Amino acid sequence: MSLETFGSILNFAEELEEQDRRFYEAAAGNPACAAYRGLFSDLAAGAGQSVRTVQRIRRENVTEMILEPVAGFTREPFCEACEGAAVLGAEEVLATARRLERRAAAYYREAAKKLKALTEVSRALERLARNREARLGRLEAPGA
């Protein structure tokens, strides 16, 4: 499905963040991931904060929603299955979490490029990408 407008890009960002938040909440409750409960709880809270950031971007730039359509941007490369966080082993959950963080960072970078004419929006999306890269660093750190 194409992401052809400012609104569709932010709606999909919100969907990604909500999906990831649910995954991390389930992972935090998974007994196999007990050693990572704090990390997953932090990641879930971070995804919740990102949802609020995306909603703020939309609110503050609502007049930009009537811009010309965006070309060549689709959801498919950024769709990632993330099921089973409550029942998978810790290594599988961590591997999925790393994929989710890479996927989200790539999405925000691409969205920032597609909306570069909207300087403030593009900067905000770049910040979200950097936040996701920092979260990925936590997942790749020794012991995670």
Side-chain angles (χ1 to χ4, degrees):
M1 176 182 264
S2 292
L3 298 168
E4 299 174 343
T5 64
F6 172 82
S8 66
I9 289 171
L10 293 183
N11 286 340
F12 187 60
E14 191 171 344
E15 286 176 38
L16 292 178
E17 294 295 348
E18 283 293 339
Q19 176 190 42
D20 294 356
R21 183 188 56 75
R22 287 188 304 273
F23 176 83
Y24 292 133
E25 286 175 348
N30 181 341
C33 298
Y36 304 105
R37 184 166 286 124
L39 173 62
F40 289 131
S41 292
D42 288 351
L43 293 172
Q49 179 60 42
S50 293
V51 166
R52 290 185 293 280
T53 299
V54 169
Q55 291 169 342
R56 180 186 51 76
I57 293 168
R58 181 183 297 115
R59 245 188 345 268
E60 291 176 359
N61 296 280
V62 71
T63 58
E64 308 303 342
M65 294 181 80
I66 55 175
L67 289 176
E68 289 185 32
V70 173
F73 195 33
T74 63
R75 299 167 60 113
E76 286 74 21
F78 307 102
C79 292
E80 173 80 32
C82 59
E83 311 274 319
V87 296
L88 294 173
E91 288 306 313
E92 293 169 298
V93 172
L94 286 167
T96 300
R98 289 178 189 116
R99 284 194 314 270
L100 294 176
E101 295 303 323
R102 283 187 198 98
R103 179 262 335 247
Y107 177 76
Y108 285 127
R109 291 235 185 267
E110 185 65 21
K113 287 178 195 172
K114 294 293 183 181
L115 297 173
K116 67 183 174 200
L118 305 173
T119 308
E120 291 300 315
V121 173
S122 184
R123 276 192 214 130
L125 294 170
E126 280 290 338
R127 276 192 303 277
L128 286 165
R130 286 191 303 275
N131 289 346
R132 285 303 195 112
E133 289 164 348
R135 291 165 53 163
L136 177 60
R138 290 183 64 196
L139 287 163
E140 292 177 338

